[in-house]
PDB file of all heavy atoms in Angstrom:
ATOM      1  N   ASN B   1       0.213  10.467  -5.146  1.00  0.00           N
ATOM      2  CA  ASN B   1       0.301  11.917  -4.958  1.00  0.00           C
ATOM      3  C   ASN B   1       0.818  12.537  -6.244  1.00  0.00           C
ATOM      4  O   ASN B   1       0.063  12.727  -7.173  1.00  0.00           O
ATOM      5  CB  ASN B   1       1.180  12.283  -3.764  1.00  0.00           C
ATOM      6  CG  ASN B   1       1.060  13.763  -3.412  1.00  0.00           C
ATOM      7  OD1 ASN B   1      -0.035  14.253  -3.212  1.00  0.00           O
ATOM      8  ND2 ASN B   1       2.167  14.477  -3.373  1.00  0.00           N
ATOM      9  N   GLY B   2       2.136  12.795  -6.336  1.00  0.00           N
ATOM     10  CA  GLY B   2       2.638  13.493  -7.505  1.00  0.00           C
ATOM     11  C   GLY B   2       2.963  12.603  -8.685  1.00  0.00           C
ATOM     12  O   GLY B   2       2.711  12.967  -9.832  1.00  0.00           O
ATOM     13  N   GLY B   3       3.519  11.418  -8.430  1.00  0.00           N
ATOM     14  CA  GLY B   3       3.984  10.567  -9.519  1.00  0.00           C
ATOM     15  C   GLY B   3       3.061   9.391  -9.777  1.00  0.00           C
ATOM     16  O   GLY B   3       1.958   9.311  -9.245  1.00  0.00           O
ATOM     17  N   GLU B   4       3.532   8.474 -10.626  1.00  0.00           N
ATOM     18  CA  GLU B   4       2.783   7.253 -10.929  1.00  0.00           C
ATOM     19  C   GLU B   4       3.253   6.148  -9.982  1.00  0.00           C
ATOM     20  O   GLU B   4       4.382   5.669 -10.065  1.00  0.00           O
ATOM     21  CB  GLU B   4       3.001   6.843 -12.384  1.00  0.00           C
ATOM     22  CG  GLU B   4       2.515   5.449 -12.749  1.00  0.00           C
ATOM     23  CD  GLU B   4       1.069   5.186 -12.326  1.00  0.00           C
ATOM     24  OE1 GLU B   4       0.202   6.073 -12.500  1.00  0.00           O
ATOM     25  OE2 GLU B   4       0.812   4.090 -11.816  1.00  0.00           O
ATOM     26  N   THR B   5       2.380   5.723  -9.094  1.00  0.00           N
ATOM     27  CA  THR B   5       2.720   4.801  -8.006  1.00  0.00           C
ATOM     28  C   THR B   5       3.330   3.503  -8.519  1.00  0.00           C
ATOM     29  O   THR B   5       4.259   2.953  -7.915  1.00  0.00           O
ATOM     30  CB  THR B   5       1.466   4.505  -7.172  1.00  0.00           C
ATOM     31  OG1 THR B   5       0.944   5.741  -6.676  1.00  0.00           O
ATOM     32  CG2 THR B   5       1.782   3.595  -6.008  1.00  0.00           C
ATOM     33  N   LEU B   6       2.838   2.981  -9.643  1.00  0.00           N
ATOM     34  CA  LEU B   6       3.304   1.687 -10.131  1.00  0.00           C
ATOM     35  C   LEU B   6       4.725   1.724 -10.678  1.00  0.00           C
ATOM     36  O   LEU B   6       5.306   0.677 -10.976  1.00  0.00           O
ATOM     37  CB  LEU B   6       2.355   1.134 -11.195  1.00  0.00           C
ATOM     38  CG  LEU B   6       1.200   0.286 -10.647  1.00  0.00           C
ATOM     39  CD1 LEU B   6       0.212   1.143  -9.867  1.00  0.00           C
ATOM     40  CD2 LEU B   6       0.477  -0.461 -11.763  1.00  0.00           C
ATOM     41  N   LEU B   7       5.319   2.914 -10.802  1.00  0.00           N
ATOM     42  CA  LEU B   7       6.713   2.994 -11.237  1.00  0.00           C
ATOM     43  C   LEU B   7       7.684   2.585 -10.135  1.00  0.00           C
ATOM     44  O   LEU B   7       8.866   2.332 -10.412  1.00  0.00           O
ATOM     45  CB  LEU B   7       7.045   4.424 -11.682  1.00  0.00           C
ATOM     46  CG  LEU B   7       6.403   4.910 -12.985  1.00  0.00           C
ATOM     47  CD1 LEU B   7       6.767   6.377 -13.222  1.00  0.00           C
ATOM     48  CD2 LEU B   7       6.854   4.055 -14.163  1.00  0.00           C
ATOM     49  N   HIS B   8       7.224   2.505  -8.890  1.00  0.00           N
ATOM     50  CA  HIS B   8       8.135   2.156  -7.788  1.00  0.00           C
ATOM     51  C   HIS B   8       8.654   0.734  -7.994  1.00  0.00           C
ATOM     52  O   HIS B   8       7.872  -0.201  -8.196  1.00  0.00           O
ATOM     53  CB  HIS B   8       7.417   2.264  -6.438  1.00  0.00           C
ATOM     54  CG  HIS B   8       8.362   2.362  -5.279  1.00  0.00           C
ATOM     55  ND1 HIS B   8       9.165   1.311  -4.890  1.00  0.00           N
ATOM     56  CD2 HIS B   8       8.647   3.393  -4.441  1.00  0.00           C
ATOM     57  CE1 HIS B   8       9.900   1.685  -3.849  1.00  0.00           C
ATOM     58  NE2 HIS B   8       9.605   2.948  -3.566  1.00  0.00           N
ATOM     59  N   PRO B   9       9.976   0.536  -7.938  1.00  0.00           N
ATOM     60  CA  PRO B   9      10.534  -0.799  -8.182  1.00  0.00           C
ATOM     61  C   PRO B   9      10.136  -1.829  -7.137  1.00  0.00           C
ATOM     62  O   PRO B   9      10.171  -3.034  -7.417  1.00  0.00           O
ATOM     63  CB  PRO B   9      12.047  -0.553  -8.180  1.00  0.00           C
ATOM     64  CG  PRO B   9      12.233   0.728  -7.438  1.00  0.00           C
ATOM     65  CD  PRO B   9      11.032   1.553  -7.725  1.00  0.00           C
ATOM     66  N   ASP B  10       9.750  -1.394  -5.938  1.00  0.00           N
ATOM     67  CA  ASP B  10       9.335  -2.312  -4.877  1.00  0.00           C
ATOM     68  C   ASP B  10       7.830  -2.229  -4.626  1.00  0.00           C
ATOM     69  O   ASP B  10       7.366  -2.450  -3.501  1.00  0.00           O
ATOM     70  CB  ASP B  10      10.094  -1.996  -3.577  1.00  0.00           C
ATOM     71  CG  ASP B  10      11.586  -2.235  -3.708  1.00  0.00           C
ATOM     72  OD1 ASP B  10      11.960  -3.203  -4.396  1.00  0.00           O
ATOM     73  OD2 ASP B  10      12.364  -1.451  -3.141  1.00  0.00           O
ATOM     74  N   PHE B  11       7.080  -1.940  -5.663  1.00  0.00           N
ATOM     75  CA  PHE B  11       5.634  -1.768  -5.525  1.00  0.00           C
ATOM     76  C   PHE B  11       4.986  -2.971  -4.845  1.00  0.00           C
ATOM     77  O   PHE B  11       4.206  -2.821  -3.895  1.00  0.00           O
ATOM     78  CB  PHE B  11       5.006  -1.541  -6.903  1.00  0.00           C
ATOM     79  CG  PHE B  11       3.515  -1.495  -6.915  1.00  0.00           C
ATOM     80  CD1 PHE B  11       2.832  -0.388  -6.438  1.00  0.00           C
ATOM     81  CD2 PHE B  11       2.777  -2.572  -7.410  1.00  0.00           C
ATOM     82  CE1 PHE B  11       1.444  -0.351  -6.452  1.00  0.00           C
ATOM     83  CE2 PHE B  11       1.396  -2.536  -7.420  1.00  0.00           C
ATOM     84  CZ  PHE B  11       0.724  -1.428  -6.943  1.00  0.00           C
ATOM     85  N   GLY B  12       5.304  -4.177  -5.286  1.00  0.00           N
ATOM     86  CA  GLY B  12       4.694  -5.377  -4.734  1.00  0.00           C
ATOM     87  C   GLY B  12       5.004  -5.576  -3.263  1.00  0.00           C
ATOM     88  O   GLY B  12       4.113  -5.864  -2.455  1.00  0.00           O
ATOM     89  N   SER B  13       6.262  -5.406  -2.880  1.00  0.00           N
ATOM     90  CA  SER B  13       6.634  -5.602  -1.476  1.00  0.00           C
ATOM     91  C   SER B  13       6.080  -4.487  -0.592  1.00  0.00           C
ATOM     92  O   SER B  13       5.754  -4.708   0.580  1.00  0.00           O
ATOM     93  CB  SER B  13       8.158  -5.689  -1.334  1.00  0.00           C
ATOM     94  OG  SER B  13       8.787  -4.492  -1.749  1.00  0.00           O
ATOM     95  N   PHE B  14       5.924  -3.273  -1.137  1.00  0.00           N
ATOM     96  CA  PHE B  14       5.297  -2.184  -0.378  1.00  0.00           C
ATOM     97  C   PHE B  14       3.837  -2.536  -0.076  1.00  0.00           C
ATOM     98  O   PHE B  14       3.343  -2.284   1.026  1.00  0.00           O
ATOM     99  CB  PHE B  14       5.380  -0.877  -1.157  1.00  0.00           C
ATOM    100  CG  PHE B  14       6.625  -0.075  -0.888  1.00  0.00           C
ATOM    101  CD1 PHE B  14       7.846  -0.704  -0.671  1.00  0.00           C
ATOM    102  CD2 PHE B  14       6.591   1.307  -0.838  1.00  0.00           C
ATOM    103  CE1 PHE B  14       8.998   0.025  -0.418  1.00  0.00           C
ATOM    104  CE2 PHE B  14       7.727   2.054  -0.575  1.00  0.00           C
ATOM    105  CZ  PHE B  14       8.938   1.415  -0.366  1.00  0.00           C
ATOM    106  N   LEU B  15       3.145  -3.116  -1.058  1.00  0.00           N
ATOM    107  CA  LEU B  15       1.763  -3.528  -0.813  1.00  0.00           C
ATOM    108  C   LEU B  15       1.700  -4.603   0.264  1.00  0.00           C
ATOM    109  O   LEU B  15       0.769  -4.610   1.093  1.00  0.00           O
ATOM    110  CB  LEU B  15       1.118  -4.042  -2.104  1.00  0.00           C
ATOM    111  CG  LEU B  15       0.808  -3.029  -3.207  1.00  0.00           C
ATOM    112  CD1 LEU B  15      -0.048  -3.684  -4.286  1.00  0.00           C
ATOM    113  CD2 LEU B  15       0.121  -1.788  -2.668  1.00  0.00           C
ATOM    114  N   GLU B  16       2.656  -5.506   0.274  1.00  0.00           N
ATOM    115  CA  GLU B  16       2.673  -6.542   1.306  1.00  0.00           C
ATOM    116  C   GLU B  16       2.849  -5.941   2.693  1.00  0.00           C
ATOM    117  O   GLU B  16       2.224  -6.387   3.667  1.00  0.00           O
ATOM    118  CB  GLU B  16       3.791  -7.546   1.011  1.00  0.00           C
ATOM    119  CG  GLU B  16       3.530  -8.399  -0.219  1.00  0.00           C
ATOM    120  CD  GLU B  16       4.714  -9.283  -0.578  1.00  0.00           C
ATOM    121  OE1 GLU B  16       5.720  -9.251   0.173  1.00  0.00           O
ATOM    122  OE2 GLU B  16       4.642  -9.986  -1.596  1.00  0.00           O
ATOM    123  N   GLU B  17       3.689  -4.897   2.810  1.00  0.00           N
ATOM    124  CA  GLU B  17       3.880  -4.223   4.097  1.00  0.00           C
ATOM    125  C   GLU B  17       2.579  -3.543   4.551  1.00  0.00           C
ATOM    126  O   GLU B  17       2.210  -3.590   5.732  1.00  0.00           O
ATOM    127  CB  GLU B  17       4.993  -3.174   3.986  1.00  0.00           C
ATOM    128  CG  GLU B  17       6.385  -3.751   3.793  1.00  0.00           C
ATOM    129  CD  GLU B  17       6.870  -4.488   5.033  1.00  0.00           C
ATOM    130  OE1 GLU B  17       6.516  -4.069   6.157  1.00  0.00           O
ATOM    131  OE2 GLU B  17       7.565  -5.498   4.889  1.00  0.00           O
ATOM    132  N   ILE B  18       1.899  -2.929   3.610  1.00  0.00           N
ATOM    133  CA  ILE B  18       0.638  -2.262   3.936  1.00  0.00           C
ATOM    134  C   ILE B  18      -0.422  -3.296   4.325  1.00  0.00           C
ATOM    135  O   ILE B  18      -1.194  -3.091   5.278  1.00  0.00           O
ATOM    136  CB  ILE B  18       0.171  -1.405   2.749  1.00  0.00           C
ATOM    137  CG1 ILE B  18       1.123  -0.215   2.567  1.00  0.00           C
ATOM    138  CG2 ILE B  18      -1.265  -0.923   2.934  1.00  0.00           C
ATOM    139  CD1 ILE B  18       0.924   0.552   1.286  1.00  0.00           C
ATOM    140  N   ALA B  19      -0.459  -4.418   3.605  1.00  0.00           N
ATOM    141  CA  ALA B  19      -1.411  -5.478   3.949  1.00  0.00           C
ATOM    142  C   ALA B  19      -1.149  -6.022   5.346  1.00  0.00           C
ATOM    143  O   ALA B  19      -2.086  -6.327   6.096  1.00  0.00           O
ATOM    144  CB  ALA B  19      -1.331  -6.599   2.914  1.00  0.00           C
ATOM    145  N   ARG B  20       0.114  -6.133   5.720  1.00  0.00           N
ATOM    146  CA  ARG B  20       0.459  -6.618   7.053  1.00  0.00           C
ATOM    147  C   ARG B  20      -0.035  -5.648   8.125  1.00  0.00           C
ATOM    148  O   ARG B  20      -0.600  -6.063   9.142  1.00  0.00           O
ATOM    149  CB  ARG B  20       1.973  -6.817   7.158  1.00  0.00           C
ATOM    150  CG  ARG B  20       2.425  -7.513   8.426  1.00  0.00           C
ATOM    151  CD  ARG B  20       3.913  -7.825   8.397  1.00  0.00           C
ATOM    152  NE  ARG B  20       4.235  -8.731   7.294  1.00  0.00           N
ATOM    153  CZ  ARG B  20       4.976  -8.414   6.243  1.00  0.00           C
ATOM    154  NH1 ARG B  20       5.488  -7.191   6.135  1.00  0.00           N
ATOM    155  NH2 ARG B  20       5.209  -9.298   5.302  1.00  0.00           N
ATOM    156  N   ALA B  21       0.163  -4.347   7.889  1.00  0.00           N
ATOM    157  CA  ALA B  21      -0.330  -3.346   8.837  1.00  0.00           C
ATOM    158  C   ALA B  21      -1.855  -3.383   8.913  1.00  0.00           C
ATOM    159  O   ALA B  21      -2.447  -3.216   9.983  1.00  0.00           O
ATOM    160  CB  ALA B  21       0.152  -1.961   8.413  1.00  0.00           C
ATOM    161  N   LYS B  22      -2.482  -3.613   7.784  1.00  0.00           N
ATOM    162  CA  LYS B  22      -3.942  -3.697   7.733  1.00  0.00           C
ATOM    163  C   LYS B  22      -4.445  -4.872   8.570  1.00  0.00           C
ATOM    164  O   LYS B  22      -5.408  -4.729   9.353  1.00  0.00           O
ATOM    165  CB  LYS B  22      -4.353  -3.861   6.263  1.00  0.00           C
ATOM    166  CG  LYS B  22      -5.805  -3.639   5.945  1.00  0.00           C
ATOM    167  CD  LYS B  22      -5.963  -3.761   4.425  1.00  0.00           C
ATOM    168  CE  LYS B  22      -7.403  -3.581   4.006  1.00  0.00           C
ATOM    169  NZ  LYS B  22      -7.555  -3.759   2.541  1.00  0.00           N
ATOM    170  N   ARG B  23      -3.792  -6.012   8.445  1.00  0.00           N
ATOM    171  CA  ARG B  23      -4.181  -7.191   9.232  1.00  0.00           C
ATOM    172  C   ARG B  23      -3.933  -6.975  10.722  1.00  0.00           C
ATOM    173  O   ARG B  23      -4.648  -7.531  11.567  1.00  0.00           O
ATOM    174  CB  ARG B  23      -3.423  -8.420   8.746  1.00  0.00           C
ATOM    175  CG  ARG B  23      -3.820  -8.909   7.366  1.00  0.00           C
ATOM    176  CD  ARG B  23      -3.267 -10.275   7.079  1.00  0.00           C
ATOM    177  NE  ARG B  23      -1.814 -10.297   7.081  1.00  0.00           N
ATOM    178  CZ  ARG B  23      -1.060 -10.102   6.008  1.00  0.00           C
ATOM    179  NH1 ARG B  23      -1.638  -9.859   4.831  1.00  0.00           N
ATOM    180  NH2 ARG B  23       0.257 -10.146   6.081  1.00  0.00           N
ATOM    181  N   ASP B  24      -2.926  -6.172  11.043  1.00  0.00           N
ATOM    182  CA  ASP B  24      -2.596  -5.897  12.446  1.00  0.00           C
ATOM    183  C   ASP B  24      -3.533  -4.874  13.093  1.00  0.00           C
ATOM    184  O   ASP B  24      -3.356  -4.533  14.258  1.00  0.00           O
ATOM    185  CB  ASP B  24      -1.154  -5.393  12.564  1.00  0.00           C
ATOM    186  CG  ASP B  24      -0.130  -6.490  12.249  1.00  0.00           C
ATOM    187  OD1 ASP B  24      -0.526  -7.678  12.240  1.00  0.00           O
ATOM    188  OD2 ASP B  24       1.035  -6.145  12.004  1.00  0.00           O
ATOM    189  N   GLY B  25      -4.498  -4.367  12.298  1.00  0.00           N
ATOM    190  CA  GLY B  25      -5.461  -3.422  12.849  1.00  0.00           C
ATOM    191  C   GLY B  25      -4.983  -1.992  12.878  1.00  0.00           C
ATOM    192  O   GLY B  25      -5.323  -1.239  13.800  1.00  0.00           O
ATOM    193  N   ALA B  26      -4.202  -1.576  11.876  1.00  0.00           N
ATOM    194  CA  ALA B  26      -3.732  -0.190  11.813  1.00  0.00           C
ATOM    195  C   ALA B  26      -4.922   0.762  11.702  1.00  0.00           C
ATOM    196  O   ALA B  26      -6.057   0.352  11.435  1.00  0.00           O
ATOM    197  CB  ALA B  26      -2.786  -0.007  10.629  1.00  0.00           C
ATOM    198  N   ALA B  27      -4.652   2.046  11.891  1.00  0.00           N
ATOM    199  CA  ALA B  27      -5.715   3.034  12.089  1.00  0.00           C
ATOM    200  C   ALA B  27      -6.409   3.479  10.810  1.00  0.00           C
ATOM    201  O   ALA B  27      -7.235   4.387  10.849  1.00  0.00           O
ATOM    202  CB  ALA B  27      -5.141   4.254  12.809  1.00  0.00           C
ATOM    203  N   PHE B  28      -6.117   2.887   9.647  1.00  0.00           N
ATOM    204  CA  PHE B  28      -6.814   3.270   8.419  1.00  0.00           C
ATOM    205  C   PHE B  28      -7.890   2.240   8.096  1.00  0.00           C
ATOM    206  O   PHE B  28      -7.729   1.050   8.355  1.00  0.00           O
ATOM    207  CB  PHE B  28      -5.833   3.436   7.258  1.00  0.00           C
ATOM    208  CG  PHE B  28      -4.955   2.246   7.004  1.00  0.00           C
ATOM    209  CD1 PHE B  28      -5.365   1.211   6.166  1.00  0.00           C
ATOM    210  CD2 PHE B  28      -3.701   2.146   7.597  1.00  0.00           C
ATOM    211  CE1 PHE B  28      -4.551   0.120   5.919  1.00  0.00           C
ATOM    212  CE2 PHE B  28      -2.870   1.051   7.355  1.00  0.00           C
ATOM    213  CZ  PHE B  28      -3.305   0.045   6.516  1.00  0.00           C
ATOM    214  N   ARG B  29      -8.972   2.730   7.485  1.00  0.00           N
ATOM    215  CA  ARG B  29     -10.098   1.838   7.182  1.00  0.00           C
ATOM    216  C   ARG B  29      -9.939   1.144   5.833  1.00  0.00           C
ATOM    217  O   ARG B  29     -10.187  -0.051   5.705  1.00  0.00           O
ATOM    218  CB  ARG B  29     -11.407   2.630   7.190  1.00  0.00           C
ATOM    219  CG  ARG B  29     -11.737   3.300   8.510  1.00  0.00           C
ATOM    220  CD  ARG B  29     -13.105   3.977   8.422  1.00  0.00           C
ATOM    221  NE  ARG B  29     -13.230   5.039   9.402  1.00  0.00           N
ATOM    222  CZ  ARG B  29     -14.250   5.876   9.452  1.00  0.00           C
ATOM    223  NH1 ARG B  29     -15.218   5.780   8.560  1.00  0.00           N
ATOM    224  NH2 ARG B  29     -14.295   6.832  10.383  1.00  0.00           N
ATOM    225  N   GLU B  30      -9.580   1.936   4.800  1.00  0.00           N
ATOM    226  CA  GLU B  30      -9.499   1.382   3.452  1.00  0.00           C
ATOM    227  C   GLU B  30      -8.287   1.950   2.734  1.00  0.00           C
ATOM    228  O   GLU B  30      -7.798   3.033   3.072  1.00  0.00           O
ATOM    229  CB  GLU B  30     -10.773   1.688   2.655  1.00  0.00           C
ATOM    230  CG  GLU B  30     -12.022   1.047   3.244  1.00  0.00           C
ATOM    231  CD  GLU B  30     -13.253   1.269   2.379  1.00  0.00           C
ATOM    232  OE1 GLU B  30     -13.165   2.024   1.383  1.00  0.00           O
ATOM    233  OE2 GLU B  30     -14.291   0.684   2.692  1.00  0.00           O
ATOM    234  N   VAL B  31      -7.844   1.210   1.714  1.00  0.00           N
ATOM    235  CA  VAL B  31      -6.680   1.611   0.920  1.00  0.00           C
ATOM    236  C   VAL B  31      -7.136   1.838  -0.513  1.00  0.00           C
ATOM    237  O   VAL B  31      -7.811   0.992  -1.114  1.00  0.00           O
ATOM    238  CB  VAL B  31      -5.578   0.528   0.957  1.00  0.00           C
ATOM    239  CG1 VAL B  31      -4.389   0.948   0.090  1.00  0.00           C
ATOM    240  CG2 VAL B  31      -5.128   0.276   2.396  1.00  0.00           C
ATOM    241  N   ARG B  32      -6.737   3.007  -1.068  1.00  0.00           N
ATOM    242  CA  ARG B  32      -7.118   3.336  -2.440  1.00  0.00           C
ATOM    243  C   ARG B  32      -5.866   3.624  -3.269  1.00  0.00           C
ATOM    244  O   ARG B  32      -4.987   4.358  -2.836  1.00  0.00           O
ATOM    245  CB  ARG B  32      -8.053   4.547  -2.465  1.00  0.00           C
ATOM    246  CG  ARG B  32      -9.313   4.339  -1.638  1.00  0.00           C
ATOM    247  CD  ARG B  32     -10.443   5.296  -1.974  1.00  0.00           C
ATOM    248  NE  ARG B  32     -10.144   6.680  -1.690  1.00  0.00           N
ATOM    249  CZ  ARG B  32     -11.077   7.642  -1.622  1.00  0.00           C
ATOM    250  NH1 ARG B  32     -12.355   7.344  -1.837  1.00  0.00           N
ATOM    251  NH2 ARG B  32     -10.747   8.885  -1.354  1.00  0.00           N
ATOM    252  N   LEU B  33      -5.822   3.035  -4.427  1.00  0.00           N
ATOM    253  CA  LEU B  33      -4.724   3.230  -5.376  1.00  0.00           C
ATOM    254  C   LEU B  33      -5.254   3.950  -6.602  1.00  0.00           C
ATOM    255  O   LEU B  33      -6.253   3.535  -7.191  1.00  0.00           O
ATOM    256  CB  LEU B  33      -4.147   1.870  -5.782  1.00  0.00           C
ATOM    257  CG  LEU B  33      -3.206   1.846  -6.994  1.00  0.00           C
ATOM    258  CD1 LEU B  33      -1.900   2.569  -6.678  1.00  0.00           C
ATOM    259  CD2 LEU B  33      -2.929   0.409  -7.435  1.00  0.00           C
ATOM    260  N   THR B  34      -4.589   5.038  -6.994  1.00  0.00           N
ATOM    261  CA  THR B  34      -4.918   5.737  -8.236  1.00  0.00           C
ATOM    262  C   THR B  34      -3.762   5.572  -9.202  1.00  0.00           C
ATOM    263  O   THR B  34      -2.603   5.754  -8.834  1.00  0.00           O
ATOM    264  CB  THR B  34      -5.170   7.233  -7.977  1.00  0.00           C
ATOM    265  OG1 THR B  34      -6.257   7.368  -7.061  1.00  0.00           O
ATOM    266  CG2 THR B  34      -5.513   7.962  -9.266  1.00  0.00           C
TER     267      THR B  34
END
């Protein structure tokens, strides 16, 4: 959104949380990173 996503100190673990939700069948179809 406003900032640079990769500056987050927990970027890797945040992706793991999103991947887990994705495997669990969460309501989003695809994930896009800018």
Side-chain angles (χ1 to χ4, degrees):
N1 191 54
E4 168 51 42
T5 302
L6 271 69
L7 290 176
H8 199 292
D10 295 323
F11 174 75
S13 62
F14 271 36
L15 290 190
E16 291 174 2
E17 291 292 326
I18 291 169
R20 189 173 298 114
K22 194 176 179 183
R23 291 193 298 269
D24 291 344
F28 54 88
R29 300 184 203 173
E30 297 185 354
V31 178
R32 302 198 296 196
L33 167 68
T34 300

